[in-house]
Amino acid sequence: MIYITQFIFIKPGKEEVFHQFEELAIPLMKKYNGRLIYRLRPGTDSFVVTEEEQPYEIHFVSFASENDLESFMGDEDRLKFMHLKEESIKWTLLVKGEKM
């Protein structure tokens, strides 16, 4: 099992475009044994300490295997709407790990 924490930073004013991307991408995860365990949109008051920009959303997801994750990332349907991701997301920080 692979776990991924993704910190997502949105371009100003592109929140709705990002939501469109998520509405299309998130349901595809199940096709590849993926689960969205947590989807957080923390407010400014949620941060105790921060030395960098605060993320718009934080996702915690799992996939049964690295192969499932790679298959999801290369899904033809997902690739058709990647322009929405590119238009809306400034940058992401992706942390991969395993349950201990």
Side-chain angles (χ1 to χ4, degrees):
M1 185 74 63
I2 284 182
Y3 293 92
I4 298 170
T5 305
Q6 186 176 27
F7 298 83
I8 303 166
F9 301 84
I10 302 295
K11 294 176 184 175
K14 295 294 184 172
E15 295 82 1
E16 188 54 42
V17 177
F18 171 70
H19 296 168
Q20 290 173 16
F21 173 73
E22 291 293 279
E23 288 173 14
L24 296 166
I26 290 172
L28 283 176
M29 291 174 59
K30 290 181 183 176
K31 180 177 174 182
Y32 299 100
N33 301 309
R35 290 187 328 141
L36 177 62
I37 299 169
Y38 300 111
R39 182 179 181 188
L40 308 166
R41 195 172 298 150
T44 303
D45 59 338
S46 298
F47 293 86
V48 177
V49 175
T50 181
E51 292 187 16
E52 296 188 15
E53 179 181 359
Q54 297 174 354
Y56 178 73
E57 280 192 4
I58 301 169
H59 295 182
F60 186 68
V61 302
S62 69
F63 284 89
S65 70
E66 184 74 33
N67 188 52
D68 287 328
L69 171 60
E70 290 174 12
S71 296
F72 168 71
M73 299 295 280
D75 181 271
E76 289 184 26
D77 290 330
R78 181 179 175 273
L79 294 175
K80 289 177 186 173
F81 50 80
M82 284 300 289
H83 65 280
L84 297 171
K85 179 179 180 181
E86 293 164 1
E87 180 183 340
S88 62
I89 295 179
K90 187 185 329 181
W91 63 283
T92 62
L93 173 62
L94 189 75
V95 181
K96 289 169 60 174
E98 58 188 43
K99 193 172 190 176
M100 298 183 70

